[in-house]
Amino acid sequence: MMRKLLLVCAASLISVLVIYAFSAEEPRADFTYVNPSGIHTLDPARMSWTQDFRVALNLWEGLTTWDPATLEPISGAALFPPQVSTDGLVYTFTLRDDARWSSGDAVTAFDFIRGWRRGMEPGTATDYTFLFTDHVAGAAEYVTWRRDAVATLTTLKRLRDGWTISTDQARSIARLAQVRHLLPAISDAASASAGKSDDAAGDNLVDRLASLSLDWGRLYVEAFDRHVAEFGARFADVGIRAAEERTLDVQLSAPCPYFLDLIALPIFLPCHPSIELVRERHRGGPITAEGLVVYDPQWTKPHYPRNDYPGLITNGAYRLSDWTFKRRVRLAVNPHHRDADAIACRTVDMLVFDNISASIMAYEAGDVDFLPAMNVPYDHEIARLAQSGTRPDFHLYNVLATYFLNFNCTSETVSAKPNPFVDRRVRKAFSLAVDKKSIVENVLKRGDRVAHSFVPPDTIPGYTPAAGLTVSVEEAHRLLAAAGYPGGRGMPVVELLYTPPDERVCQALARMWEERLGVRVELRSQESKTFAEDKANQRFMLARGNWYADYNDPTTFLDCLSTGNGNNDSGYANARYDGLLTEASAARDPVARASLLRQAEAIIVEEDLPILPILHYAVPIAIKPYVKGLHANARLWFPFRYVTVER
Amino acid sequence: MTRLIIRRLLLGVLTIACIYVLTFVMVISLPGNPFQQGQHNIPPEAEMALRARYSMDNNWLYFWEFLGGAVRLDFGPTFTYNDWTCNQVIASALPVSMLIGLTAILVAVMVGVPVGVISAARRNSWVDVTCLALVLLGISLPTFVTGSAMLIVFSVYLKIAPVGGWGTLAHLPLPVLTLALPFTAYIARLTRTGMLDALSSDFVRTALAKGASPRAVIWKHALKVAVLPVLSFLGPATAQAMTGSFVVEKVFGVPGIGQHFVNAALNRDAGLIMSTVLVFATLLVAFNLIVDVLYTRLDPRISEAV
């Protein structure tokens, strides 16, 4: 009896699950490709990954876009080229008459302002806010004002609710007039040392604040209402203005020769007004209680019934037709797009395969038409098949990216040992002793290019990277001896920090240094998130690094090593280098500018060596022979609207 | 019986609470930044704003907010998949894992128990030795080996199953068989041991002496006792199978919940780590409770003991 009951229960549970799991299958899309790890986000303001960019730029269209063959900026939702003032500071874009959202509404300049503002707001944006603060007039001031306000409002709210606060939070409200006059002695010291979180002055400040008998609730409401009142006026000072519905004026803080290339990136995409239906509000204001601009994260879904929200509306060649978590994204032609009738692939499926080997098998079985990533443990074999021509459907693309090592140029000690790499002679010696060719050809064998410079050659028009160094063990010995380590004697054990996929390269490097320089190298492999944190905080002697170009200009690489840059993991600082970059940014003549940038690059790859460039990536991809219109390019940018499938 | 269930339920709630506290402490003491996504280091001011958004600027606040949400079955946002909530992630992945796990356990019981019984009944015969060898193989072969082997044989050479993915019934058999194999082997071994014990006990000898047929004695009387250790194994095993296997999901590209266990920890996705752990803990407690209840039904001696 019992057994039968159990069986019936199990059987019915299984059938319910079967029905739940396998709902009716749709017919195959016109074009199918694989995105190995799935989509992190479809919110253009929060995107960080190429694979997300690829979907976003098929769904939306910015003021400009890139030609898939040449990567030159071309007309997007705006006419091309825009009007540019003679000083290069004001761009006037006129939107196309036929620029349409997938709902049929016209795309307006206000939609761009809405989208760009999301790219600056601390609640909605993450990685690419710097593109606004670096280039758009008034954006840096606005973002600082907003971030300060969020810190202040959050802290006041925490104090009101009786929670303890951190020293950073304490500093943020010590600036408030109502608080400041109560602690005159301490607030100056505290705000002066802002940024260093756990010092005594900060702790003292937290205690002092907690002991004040202030009405935090009242202060919070005052601060909140004042901030909401200024919210619109402050943004009006940012150099993005709509003269009329179809005209957008952008005022830059300094001339930017690659601005038209830049604004094709997802962070510069427009946003349909319907998003305001799912905005979070507090006390009737446009921000949350913490002062953040927050939209319900579900706004990127094709269907999301809340406040009559119509689901995601986009202005690109495609609209989002379906999105199942970690399984599939389906794009369908945006019927209101100006070229809708000319697009051959009416539906595109993006499938998720966590296991790339499985996606290759699916490609071989014919279930998939295109693989934009094939980084498998046997990628050298795939590279061989591509290079030998055995598999004409496998292609190797040189991408705008560099794999390198960071030398820690700043910390005198690392894990209680003296750090020899603060001496640039040691850095140069270690660089001279590395046979990069052997790493590329004998260790990895993936068809990557040997890197002598930080900026990859042959990809950025008008720029020839610095020559870099060639292998010279004698010179390396001379430099080591000059630095006080003749024959490697007296050199502390060198720690090399990396993540598991770098194992083979790092072993080869360690062996080269041990054999050629007589030093001892300790390999330390770390899980990636821990690694990223240690690297960003200079807790290493040598650490693996890589950088993918954000836009098509040498500064996307070179800026990383300017003093105080958030991505300057080496902690490198050289006033001459910074000066050349500043000079270049002011130069109006492209040839002079390129020459200044090249001089700057020469400092880092020939003299100071804060980094040791090893290789520029080549990425293997697979395209079925019957797929036409997918162009080879260094940014792996694939607009599906030009694709035809002739199965 | 009711007292037993109530006591076990209270104990279960206490267990889950302890697991939550421990997980929370581990999550907040992990090195690494959940908000860093791509190649850019996140500016400290931007990170402060994001922490404020998710109430993660204060550990106690976060502890109570997450707990409050969890009690209402709202696990909040994930940091890795910004557009989805933990609830959506679990709702999409858990049924897949439950389906595979439950089917696998069913297969394991239906194959494992008979194999164990036959093996014990023909002790030391060639049947027994073959079964033992197969069992040993099933327990010692890791699933990534058996899974990949099945994929190559059935999908690549014989082409009778899809290479991977999820969406049709044809996607079900390979992951289920792979997952079921070690469970089958273990159940077979447990049944065999239990059966050997039962066969040498007094009540079986009495039954045989009274003239009952050996077949009836084995399948009716002895099995009831022999299967008890299998039953206690089945509680945690079912919970384990239903909460997904990272390896099986990875090999077959199945969108189950096992991958989220592993990836959430790697991504420092606090909300997703804690919600998957809580779901797993709840299932484990629930299945142990069910097994305990079944136990008292099958073996009346136990109800007094617990």
Side-chain angles (χ1 to χ4, degrees):
Chain A
M1 178 61 205
M2 193 75 185
R3 231 180 301 163
K4 271 184 197 155
L5 194 71
L6 263 180
L7 265 174
V8 170
C9 283
S12 46
L13 190 54
I14 288 180
S15 29
V16 168
L17 287 166
V18 165
I19 293 164
Y20 183 93
F22 308 125
S23 43
E25 226 194 329
E26 279 181 76
R28 183 176 171 165
D30 296 337
F31 177 68
T32 307
Y33 81 105
V34 170
N35 177 352
S37 51
I39 284 179
H40 288 83
T41 176
L42 270 188
D43 183 339
R46 300 199 70 161
M47 283 185 180
S48 312
W49 305 96
T50 316
Q51 57 267 42
D52 293 3
F53 285 10
R54 189 174 298 143
V55 183
L57 293 177
N58 276 294
L59 284 172
W60 282 274
E61 187 173 50
L63 294 171
T64 62
T65 182
W66 305 301
D67 183 299
T70 64
L71 291 182
E72 289 290 313
I74 54 170
S75 168
L79 299 172
F80 195 88
Q83 250 179 41
V84 187
S85 64
T86 44
D87 58 0
L89 288 179
V90 183
Y91 284 67
T92 305
F93 295 92
T94 308
L95 296 185
R96 288 164 168 277
D97 287 334
D98 52 0
R100 287 280 181 280
W101 290 100
S102 53
S103 58
D105 304 332
V107 179
T108 69
F110 303 108
D111 299 336
F112 276 93
I113 295 180
R114 184 177 303 106
W116 290 26
R117 187 172 190 172
R118 295 186 79 250
M120 296 179 221
E121 278 295 338
T124 45
T126 42
D127 276 0
Y128 286 95
T129 305
F130 77 95
L131 292 179
F132 291 101
T133 54
D134 283 1
H135 298 293
V136 177
E141 293 77 9
Y142 177 76
V143 171
T144 309
W145 176 73
R146 287 285 295 131
R147 284 176 176 164
D148 285 348
V150 170
T152 308
L153 290 174
T154 308
T155 313
L156 287 173
K157 182 166 180 276
R158 300 286 180 261
L159 284 166
R160 180 195 73 185
D161 300 343
W163 297 104
T164 51
I165 56 170
S166 68
T167 52
D168 282 337
Q169 290 180 321
R171 284 199 183 92
S172 72
I173 56 159
R175 290 190 296 261
L176 281 181
Q178 297 93 319
V179 180
R180 195 181 171 86
H181 78 276
L182 293 173
L183 359 117
I186 203 160
S187 57
D188 288 330
S191 35
S193 60
K196 294 171 205 139
S197 45
D198 38 25
D199 51 316
D203 290 345
N204 199 353
L205 183 64
V206 175
D207 295 341
R208 289 282 298 275
L209 281 172
S211 66
L212 293 178
S213 57
L214 277 169
D215 182 354
W216 296 115
R218 191 177 52 81
L219 277 183
Y220 168 75
V221 171
E222 281 174 14
F224 184 88
D225 291 347
R226 197 170 50 241
H227 189 75
V228 169
E230 286 180 54
F231 193 63
R234 285 282 191 149
F235 186 72
D237 291 340
V238 179
I240 319 169
R241 287 174 199 95
E244 48 183 311
E245 276 227 324
R246 300 212 159 265
T247 315
L248 184 72
D249 288 321
V250 183
Q251 167 106 36
L252 301 189
S253 48
C256 173
Y258 48 91
F259 189 64
L260 293 177
D261 174 82
L262 207 60
I263 54 172
L265 282 168
I267 191 117
F268 293 97
L269 289 172
C271 186
H272 189 265
S274 59
I275 194 177
E276 297 300 336
L277 292 171
V278 290
R279 190 182 192 122
E280 312 284 334
R281 293 175 179 275
H282 181 68
R283 287 176 60 82
I287 48 178
T288 65
E290 279 85 10
L292 294 157
V293 170
V294 172
Y295 295 92
D296 188 327
Q298 306 293 322
W299 76 275
T300 54
K301 301 295 167 53
H303 311 286
Y304 181 56
R306 179 189 156 190
N307 299 350
D308 298 321
Y309 182 68
L312 184 66
I313 294 176
T314 61
N315 72 327
Y318 290 90
R319 63 180 178 82
L320 184 64
S321 134
D322 187 36
W323 184 6
T324 352
F325 179 67
K326 275 272 180 183
R327 294 182 211 178
R328 192 188 72 164
V329 166
R330 174 163 282 201
L331 312 180
V333 164
N334 167 7
H336 299 282
H337 189 265
R338 56 182 180 277
D339 294 332
D341 296 337
I343 296 171
C345 289
R346 308 304 288 179
T347 49
V348 175
D349 268 354
M350 184 213 83
L351 304 180
V352 178
F353 274 79
D354 262 323
N355 178 359
I356 298 181
S357 293
S359 75
I360 295 178
M361 285 195 244
Y363 173 84
E364 297 291 329
D367 297 340
V368 170
D369 306 317
F370 169 47
L371 295 176
M374 293 162 93
N375 39 334
V376 281
Y378 46 91
D379 46 11
H380 56 277
E381 187 57 22
I382 290 184
R384 192 186 62 77
L385 291 173
Q387 283 172 323
S388 65
T390 320
R391 285 294 299 259
D393 56 331
F394 287 4
H395 308 267
L396 272 181
Y397 287 164
N398 292 325
V399 293
L400 266 176
T402 305
Y403 180 87
F404 56 92
L405 281 190
N406 285 293
F407 290 109
N408 185 341
C409 310
T410 175
S411 313
E412 291 293 336
T413 54
V414 172
S415 37
K417 280 182 278 186
N419 171 22
F421 297 105
V422 287
D423 187 333
R424 68 171 182 174
R425 289 170 297 191
V426 180
R427 301 201 292 263
K428 193 164 180 180
F430 270 64
S431 308
L432 286 165
V434 171
D435 181 359
K436 301 167 188 174
K437 196 160 176 276
S438 166
I439 290 178
V440 167
E441 287 176 7
N442 303 328
V443 179
L444 292 173
K445 303 183 213 168
R446 295 185 308 214
D448 304 302
R449 295 184 293 167
V450 172
H452 299 291
S453 53
F454 192 15
V455 182
D458 309 324
T459 31
I460 300 172
Y463 184 76
T464 315
L469 303 173
T470 42
V471 189
S472 166
V473 181
E474 299 78 51
E475 176 68 3
H477 276 287
R478 202 189 60 73
L479 284 165
L480 262 198
Y485 310 107
R489 283 185 297 280
M491 174 78 97
V493 177
V494 171
E495 273 181 24
L496 173 52
L497 193 65
Y498 57 93
T499 56
D502 309 302
E503 184 80 44
R504 285 187 303 151
V505 173
C506 289
Q507 278 176 355
L509 285 168
R511 167 171 277 200
M512 284 177 196
W513 288 324
E514 292 192 334
E515 282 177 359
R516 297 175 175 188
L517 300 180
V519 297
R520 270 192 55 214
V521 181
E522 194 181 288
L523 293 168
R524 264 183 60 202
S525 171
Q526 247 180 1
E527 175 279 325
S528 63
K529 280 267 175 184
T530 317
F531 169 83
E533 195 172 73
D534 281 356
K535 179 165 72 96
N537 291 292
Q538 287 85 43
R539 290 193 288 260
F540 63 90
M541 284 189 192
L542 285 163
R544 182 275 288 159
N546 53 10
W547 193 258
Y548 286 79
D550 288 320
Y551 47 90
N552 211 11
D553 189 81
T555 52
T556 186
F557 289 94
L558 301 181
D559 279 351
C560 292
L561 287 164
S562 62
T563 309
N565 186 292
N567 299 303
N568 186 341
D569 292 332
S570 313
Y572 175 63
N574 180 336
R576 194 156 60 90
Y577 179 76
D578 297 343
L580 283 166
L581 289 186
T582 319
E583 215 182 313
S585 72
R588 298 302 313 279
D589 172 34
V591 179
R593 180 173 179 271
S595 142
L596 287 165
L597 291 175
R598 189 171 191 276
Q599 285 174 45
E601 190 180 15
I603 297 179
I604 56 169
V605 297
E606 289 163 16
E607 294 175 32
D608 283 358
L609 281 306
I611 57 157
L612 163 55
I614 296 173
L615 58 89
H616 305 298
Y617 291 104
V619 172
I621 68 172
I623 306 173
K624 286 282 183 193
Y626 53 74
V627 176
K628 306 282 181 246
L630 276 181
H631 292 275
N633 64 60
R635 297 174 89 149
L636 300 178
W637 155 232
F638 304 111
F640 303 131
R641 52 185 287 200
Y642 304 118
V643 174
T644 50
V645 176
E646 291 146 13
R647 247 192 293 266
Chain B
M1 184 63 117
T2 326
R3 255 189 61 206
L4 169 90
I5 294 179
I6 292 175
R7 226 178 71 191
R8 279 318 195 85
L9 273 178
L10 288 177
L11 218 62
V13 171
L14 193 69
T15 314
I16 294 173
C18 290
I19 291 173
Y20 173 60
V21 174
L22 281 176
T23 317
F24 186 87
V25 170
M26 284 193 264
V27 163
I28 58 164
S29 35
L30 274 175
N33 186 341
F35 299 109
Q36 178 163 353
Q37 300 252 317
Q39 61 179 348
H40 296 267
N41 294 331
I42 180 164
E45 308 82 34
E47 186 184 336
M48 247 173 104
L50 281 173
R51 286 196 178 270
R53 173 169 173 183
Y54 298 114
S55 308
M56 283 182 80
D57 54 317
N58 185 304
N59 288 334
W60 279 110
L61 175 65
Y62 186 55
F63 179 89
W64 292 112
E65 285 219 335
F66 187 88
L67 188 61
V71 169
R72 283 176 280 116
L73 291 182
D74 172 8
F75 292 109
T78 88
F79 304 137
T80 324
Y81 312 105
N82 289 313
D83 312 21
W84 302 85
T85 61
C86 290
N87 285 37
Q88 287 174 321
V89 172
I90 293 170
S92 126
L94 190 61
V96 174
S97 294
M98 283 174 77
L99 174 60
I100 294 181
L102 209 60
T103 326
I105 288 292
L106 214 64
V107 169
V109 171
M110 282 174 4
V111 178
V113 170
V115 166
V117 170
I118 293 165
S119 194
R122 313 227 167 148
R123 194 179 174 182
N124 295 336
S125 71
W126 65 269
V127 182
D128 185 24
V129 173
T130 316
C131 286
L132 275 182
L134 284 177
V135 161
L136 193 66
L137 210 64
I139 291 178
S140 23
L141 274 182
T143 40
F144 66 82
V145 173
T146 49
S148 309
M150 287 211 214
L151 209 55
I152 289 169
V153 173
F154 293 105
S155 306
V156 178
Y157 287 113
L158 299 179
K159 294 193 196 301
I160 49 173
V163 174
W166 193 248
T168 62
L169 261 183
H171 287 112
L172 195 58
L174 291 190
V176 164
L177 287 181
T178 311
L179 189 60
L181 197 68
F183 288 114
T184 315
Y186 206 79
I187 289 174
R189 204 163 76 168
L190 283 175
T191 316
R192 181 178 179 273
T193 318
M195 197 48 134
L196 287 177
D197 274 354
L199 287 178
S200 59
S201 62
D202 292 343
F203 74 90
V204 168
R205 213 175 315 144
T206 314
L208 287 171
K210 283 170 87 179
S213 78
R215 179 179 289 256
V217 171
I218 289 173
W219 291 103
K220 279 219 169 121
H221 303 273
L223 184 60
K224 225 173 173 180
V225 179
V227 92
L228 283 180
V230 174
L231 205 57
S232 53
F233 167 72
L234 273 184
T238 312
Q240 196 200 331
M242 282 176 45
T243 44
S245 151
F246 177 70
V247 176
V248 171
E249 287 172 17
K250 189 95 186 163
V251 169
F252 294 101
V254 172
I257 201 162
Q259 53 172 325
H260 296 301
F261 265 126
V262 179
N263 292 339
L266 291 178
N267 294 325
R268 310 293 187 270
D269 193 338
L272 197 55
I273 297 177
M274 294 193 289
S275 37
T276 44
V277 166
L278 285 182
V279 166
F280 182 61
T282 313
L283 279 176
L284 198 64
V285 166
F287 277 92
N288 274 326
L289 180 68
I290 293 173
V291 165
D292 283 346
V293 172
L294 286 180
Y295 234 85
T296 52
R297 274 296 173 88
L298 280 177
D299 191 347
R301 286 171 301 178
I302 290 171
S303 61
E304 289 126 45
V306 243

